[in-house]
Amino acid sequence: MPPRRIEEGPEVPSAELKHTFQIAAPPEEVFAHLAEPSHYVGLSPLLVAVRDVRRSGGTVHYTAVERFRFLGVLRHDNIIDVTLVAVPDGLPHSAEISGEVRSPGRVRMSYRFAIDRHEVGSVVTDTLHLRTPPGLLRFAALQAGAVQQARARVLTARLARPV
């Protein structure tokens, strides 16, 4: 389970989630995959579409659709605004991708992928910082933590090297 820090006080409730994992692919390949918005479809089990992609230098703005299912039959599509900033300055040894997610209901999430060269390929540290209105933090943190775990598994499988 990733380290989790939850703060609830008079300010906006927030939580930080961090998950580190290894991938048998070089940082350049991991960076290229995470820098492309369309690659996030399926990388997160909730994300079903990416649209309205606008690029400006190393910054990308786009709209994403998260699909939540309740009781197996009810479906809710959550439309989110995403900003992605790709910083390849340290390649071939390291790189960073970060950004901000704005969701309806005043849920905000900043994210950062730190990608570092490792003997087997790359080590990725996936850090999320959630800010929510009172009453939503636990639900949002559970969803985000599950997405982090799934993202690590899917990304590792997508970039696996044939043996």
Side-chain angles (χ1 to χ4, degrees):
M1 187 67 140
R4 182 175 294 176
R5 182 182 65 201
I6 296 178
E7 302 168 6
E8 291 194 62
E11 299 95 33
V12 176
S14 67
E16 183 175 281
L17 295 85
K18 186 178 281 194
H19 181 62
T20 301
F21 56 98
Q22 294 182 2
I23 297 179
E28 301 92 332
E29 193 174 328
V30 177
F31 177 82
H33 197 79
L34 290 174
E36 176 52 48
S38 64
H39 291 165
Y40 285 84
V41 175
L43 192 56
S44 160
L46 298 175
L47 198 66
V48 297
V50 168
R51 60 184 186 224
D52 305 324
V53 177
R54 300 164 315 280
R55 299 174 193 276
S56 176
T59 302
V60 182
H61 299 278
Y62 62 95
T63 302
V65 179
E66 290 180 317
R67 181 159 294 150
F68 291 92
R69 294 207 180 271
F70 301 98
L71 305 173
V73 292
L74 299 175
R75 181 179 102 182
H76 171 70
D77 284 352
N78 191 39
I79 309 301
I80 58 178
D81 294 318
V82 182
T83 301
L84 182 152
V85 180
V87 182
D89 296 349
L91 287 174
H93 302 290
S94 65
E96 179 178 305
I97 294 179
S98 62
E100 186 78 23
V101 174
R102 295 181 169 275
S103 180
R106 297 186 352 250
V107 174
R108 303 290 181 261
M109 181 183 73
S110 56
Y111 64 91
R112 179 178 181 262
F113 299 107
I115 307 160
D116 294 295
R117 186 167 298 284
H118 186 271
E119 59 197 39
V120 300
S122 300
V123 172
V124 178
T125 301
D126 179 349
T127 305
L128 306 175
H129 186 101
L130 297 166
R131 297 171 308 284
T132 71
L136 287 179
L137 183 61
R138 294 213 186 283
F139 173 76
L142 283 171
Q143 292 294 319
V147 166
Q148 265 186 327
Q149 298 294 316
R151 182 169 38 239
R153 285 189 305 275
V154 173
L155 187 61
T156 299
R158 281 185 184 177
L159 301 181
R161 302 270 187 213
V163 185

